[in-house]
């Protein structure tokens, strides 16, 4: 049905099955929504599929090419979004009006897409069954208010799970990377004494293999023993796992090839390449996988871990043929419900995770790509067109554009750095990551206390100890206590 809307003096022609006005916008029904907009040259808010996927306002028409090589795609974004990169968006898209207001179209389900060109904004649920109710939210107005109204609608459908003060985390990854062992972690633990962390989280490097979630020989006393040490030191013990990703070398891959997701051609679908090989995703609709997963989370909790960083989760949400014929994002959300149940009151941080299906189930979401003790990797950003590459600049860009999720779920911007040792960033760059952590309300670091001079240790102490007043001034500018923090530089990427 064609509807003409007058949104605060903006005339819009809209194709939808039903249009209902509500307090801060409109609810639309329909598998496909087509909307004519008058903006021509403008900016498009593009939202990537999972934690690391590019999320940003992008100039339209856009110059950005597809990231190369394509084999890396699942780690960058949903393969479907490759078709019209970057002008197709996962879940929500928006356009900017010359007067600064925005026009937002967002799905209220799990797997809608929004795309834009110079005349239209379109929404589609490509995986909906015939007759399925497909719901959207449409609003026009000031950016912050429109996103807040959208978040509110999402929260009513998917649930809300956020805290005023998320835990303060020491995470092993961005200091030691895979080079962890029980000795070095105990040493760090002892040196952290006096710093107000809530969680001591062991990252990638403890496991026998991706899929074989038992301690490797760098942890001869086992994972329960180290959790006990962490608790005795006064912290919640945290552990990283990638429970839905499986390496070919794992026993699960060898013994249960039928547990893995397959493509239409019957072959296992690679979910990415890391740890020196391809890895694959589990078929989360398979009953045996579900009980294995429940047991895994229960086991990890029985070892004493009450903070779970579950990573590479998108591997379980890849398109493919499943045991049960359930759309991928719904299958994935059902799986997160199982994880949620098994996790009980443990804090569950979803990383490398599709965003929408995690709302209401995970406690926190990583909302950007990985930071690093360097600003940017131009070879990957410029030459390979990959704005999800590891580095602080890319991480800041995507996190900044996902802060609107904050009323729904804790948002993890990744760690901040206080060390100058083993760090290529300038002090101002370190400061920006620290500021973003305050803005997001989630504070973490991977700095080894032994690397910090007294000054840096004091800065870390204050970072953890204080809750500054935050005021958002506009899209890129914030006031932190009395200080102005300006992230406009993230737009520079569009000048090249
Ligand atoms: C452990 C890490 C850390 C980190 C996670 C995740 O594109 N990539 O090759 C790529 C590799 C690793 C990665 C993200 C992307 O990082 O975000 O915090 O836990 O795994 O392996």
């Amino acid at each position: 049905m064609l509807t003409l809307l007058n949104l605060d003096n903006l005339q819009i022609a809209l194709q939808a099955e039903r249009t209902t006005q509500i307090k801060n916008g409109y609810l639309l029904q329909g598998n496909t929504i087509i909307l004519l907009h008058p903006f021509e040259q403008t900016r498009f808010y593009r939202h990537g599929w999972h934690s690391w996927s590019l999320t940003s306002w992008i100039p339209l028409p856009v110059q950005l090419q597809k990231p190369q090589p394509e084999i890396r795609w699942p780690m960058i974004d949903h393969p479907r979004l490759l078709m019209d990169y970057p002008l197709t968006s996962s879940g929500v898209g928006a356009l900017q009006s010359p007067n600064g207001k925005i026009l937002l179209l967002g799905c209220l389900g799990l797997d809608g897409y929004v795309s834009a060109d110079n005349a239209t904004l379109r929404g589609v649920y490509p995986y909906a069954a015939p007759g399925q109710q497909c719901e959207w939210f449409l609003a026009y107005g000031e950016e912050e208010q429109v996103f807040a109204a959208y978040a509110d609608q999402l929260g009513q459908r998917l649930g809300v799970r956020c805290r005023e003060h998320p835990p303060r985390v020491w995470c092993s990854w961005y200091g030691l990377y895979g080079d962890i062992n029980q000795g070095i972690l105990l040493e760090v633990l002892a040196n952290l004494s006096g710093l107000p962390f809530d969680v001591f989280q062991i990252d990638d490097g403890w496991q026998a293999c991706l899929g074989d979630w038992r301690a490797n020989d760098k942890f001869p006393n086992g994972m329960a023993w180290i959790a006990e040490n962490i608790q005795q030191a006064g912290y919640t013990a945290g552990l990283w796992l990638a429970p839905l990703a499986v390496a070919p070398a794992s026993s699960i891959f060898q013994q249960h090839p039928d547990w893995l997701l397959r493509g239409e051609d019957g072959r296992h679908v690679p979910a990415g390449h890391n740890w020196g090989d391809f890895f694959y995703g589990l078929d989360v609709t398979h009953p045996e996988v579900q009980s294995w997963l429940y047991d895994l989370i229960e086991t990890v909790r029985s070892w004493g871990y009450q903070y779970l960083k579950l990573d590479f989760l998108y591997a379980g949400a890849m398109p493919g043929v499943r045991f049960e014929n359930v759309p991928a994002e719904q299958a994935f959300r059902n799986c997160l419900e199982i994880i949620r149940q098994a996790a009980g009151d443990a804090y569950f941080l979803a990383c490398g995770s599709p965003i929408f299906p995690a709302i209401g189930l995970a406690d926190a979401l990583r909302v950007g790509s990985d930071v690093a003790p360097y600003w940017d990797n131009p070879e990957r950003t410029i030459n390979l067109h990959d704005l999800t590459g590891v580095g602080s600049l890319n991480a800041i860009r995507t996190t900044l554009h996902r802060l609107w999720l904050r009323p729904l779920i804790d948002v993890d911007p990744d760690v901040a750095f206080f060390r100058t040792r083993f760090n290529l960033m300038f002090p101002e760059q370190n400061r920006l990551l620290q500021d973003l952590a305050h803005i997001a309300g989630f504070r973490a670091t991977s700095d080894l206390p032994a690397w910090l001079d007294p000054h840096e240790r004091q800065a870390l102490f204050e970072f953890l100890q204080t809750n500054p007043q935050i005021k958002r001034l506009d899209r890129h500018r914030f006031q932190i206590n009395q200080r102005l923090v300006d992230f406009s530089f993230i737009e520079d990427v569009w000048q090249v």
Side-chain angles (χ1 to χ4, degrees):
M1 208 170 82
L2 191 70
T3 311
L4 292 173
L5 292 182
N6 182 338
L7 306 163
D8 195 9
N9 288 327
L10 176 74
Q11 312 290 335
I12 292 286
L14 171 82
Q15 176 85 50
E17 279 167 27
R18 208 170 66 215
T19 304
T20 316
Q21 188 161 14
I22 55 168
K23 191 164 148 245
N24 296 311
Y26 291 84
L27 292 180
L28 313 179
Q29 300 278 351
N31 179 287
T32 304
I33 304 292
I34 303 176
L35 193 150
L36 297 176
H37 72 78
F39 304 132
E40 292 183 32
Q41 300 216 344
T42 176
R43 276 172 180 255
F44 177 56
Y45 175 83
R46 191 259 181 204
H47 182 263
W49 182 42
H50 61 58
S51 301
W52 309 320
S53 311
L54 172 65
T55 299
S56 181
W57 284 95
I58 300 179
L60 192 70
V62 76
Q63 311 286 333
L64 191 68
Q65 296 177 41
K66 287 173 194 169
Q68 299 291 325
E70 297 192 1
I71 195 65
R72 291 188 63 85
W73 255 80
M75 299 176 75
I76 295 175
D77 214 319
H78 195 284
R80 187 184 179 97
L81 299 184
L82 178 61
M83 291 192 274
D84 185 26
Y85 187 86
L87 289 182
T88 301
S89 183
S90 170
V92 52
L95 291 166
Q96 188 175 300
S97 151
N99 66 13
K101 292 185 177 175
I102 68 158
L103 177 68
L104 174 144
L105 178 64
C107 81
L108 294 173
L110 299 179
D111 51 6
Y113 291 85
V114 177
S115 47
D117 59 31
N118 61 2
T120 64
L121 188 63
R122 292 157 187 263
V124 61
Y125 280 94
Y127 310 111
Q132 186 183 318
Q133 287 283 326
C134 295
E135 220 187 352
W136 302 89
F137 177 70
L138 175 73
Y140 177 68
E142 297 302 331
E143 181 166 344
E144 253 196 285
Q145 288 157 18
V146 167
F147 272 105
Y150 177 49
D152 182 55
Q153 291 295 321
L154 280 175
Q156 288 179 35
R157 286 152 183 88
L158 300 174
V160 170
R161 248 191 120 86
C162 61
R163 346 198 143 182
E164 196 184 342
H165 294 297
R168 297 161 294 181
V169 183
W170 190 86
C171 156
S172 61
W173 185 249
Y174 306 88
L176 297 164
Y177 293 97
D179 233 354
I180 49 173
N181 61 55
Q182 65 180 36
I184 194 157
L185 289 181
L186 285 193
E187 196 184 307
V188 173
L189 191 61
N191 291 340
L192 284 179
S193 163
L195 290 169
F197 285 102
D198 302 303
V199 175
F200 182 94
Q201 182 242 313
I202 304 173
D203 213 280
D204 189 0
W206 64 272
Q207 72 279 9
C209 180
L210 208 69
D212 292 338
W213 300 104
R214 49 188 162 73
N216 59 31
D217 53 16
K218 296 187 294 173
F219 292 81
N221 294 6
M223 299 318 286
W225 176 83
I226 194 156
E228 205 179 301
N229 277 272
I230 294 169
Q231 285 163 3
Q232 271 168 15
Y235 306 104
T236 297
L239 193 64
W240 173 96
L241 301 104
L244 307 182
V246 175
S250 64
S251 52
I252 195 173
F253 187 96
Q254 319 256 322
Q255 288 164 20
H256 303 284
D258 55 315
W259 286 12
L260 300 170
L261 186 65
R262 290 174 196 270
E264 301 281 350
D265 58 4
R267 290 162 172 261
H268 294 142
V269 194
H273 195 282
N274 203 16
W275 304 279
D277 203 345
F278 288 99
F279 61 91
Y280 300 85
L282 288 173
D283 174 355
V284 294
T285 66
H286 197 299
E288 288 170 22
V289 170
Q290 295 176 349
S291 61
W292 173 86
L293 194 60
Y294 191 95
D295 291 349
L296 171 64
I297 302 297
E298 252 196 343
T299 303
V300 167
R301 285 194 69 208
S302 75
W303 293 343
Y305 294 91
Q306 280 282 78
Y307 175 100
L308 307 176
K309 176 178 175 184
L310 305 185
D311 202 358
F312 289 87
L313 290 179
Y314 74 84
M318 295 276 295
V321 178
R322 291 183 163 76
F323 182 88
E324 261 191 74
N325 188 17
V326 180
E329 315 284 303
Q330 185 61 56
F332 176 71
R333 184 165 173 87
N334 298 345
C335 164
L336 293 192
E337 288 206 24
I338 294 172
I339 293 178
R340 177 75 267 168
Q341 255 181 23
D345 59 359
Y347 191 89
F348 161 24
L349 164 63
C351 187
S353 174
I355 301 299
F356 286 71
I359 295 171
L361 293 175
D363 295 286
L365 260 173
R366 248 289 279 293
V367 287
S369 48
D370 285 22
V371 298
Y374 55 82
W375 189 241
D376 190 19
N377 174 357
E379 287 78 9
R380 184 160 167 186
T381 305
I382 308 289
N383 300 356
L384 300 173
H385 315 293
D386 182 7
L387 295 178
T388 72
V390 173
S392 300
L393 175 60
N394 289 340
I396 290 173
R397 180 182 304 105
T398 287
T399 295
L400 202 58
H401 289 102
R402 286 214 180 111
L403 292 172
W404 61 269
L405 288 163
R406 180 72 181 100
L408 299 173
I409 190 161
D410 293 348
V411 294
D412 169 14
D414 213 359
V415 304
F417 297 87
F418 294 83
R419 65 192 202 233
T420 40
R421 203 163 161 196
F422 307 124
N423 185 349
L424 299 176
M425 284 193 287
F426 295 116
E428 309 80 65
Q429 296 172 331
N430 289 326
R431 185 61 177 258
L432 286 164
L433 282 182
Q434 297 161 16
D435 288 339
L436 188 59
H438 279 306
I439 291 166
F442 193 109
R443 291 164 288 174
T445 192
S446 291
D447 289 348
L448 270 67
W451 294 349
L452 302 176
D453 70 24
H455 220 73
E456 291 161 359
R457 189 179 166 105
Q458 180 59 24
L460 172 58
F461 179 86
E462 282 165 22
F463 170 73
L464 298 169
Q465 191 66 26
T466 58
N467 294 301
Q469 286 289 321
I470 310 283
K471 195 169 160 221
R472 189 168 200 160
L473 302 176
D474 56 35
R475 185 179 294 166
H476 297 127
R477 294 181 317 135
F478 296 81
Q479 199 176 304
I480 301 189
N481 288 337
Q482 297 311 314
R483 198 160 48 86
L484 178 76
V485 182
D486 190 342
F487 291 97
S488 323
F489 59 85
I490 53 158
E491 295 282 306
D492 295 352
V493 68
W494 311 118
Q495 323 294 278
V496 288

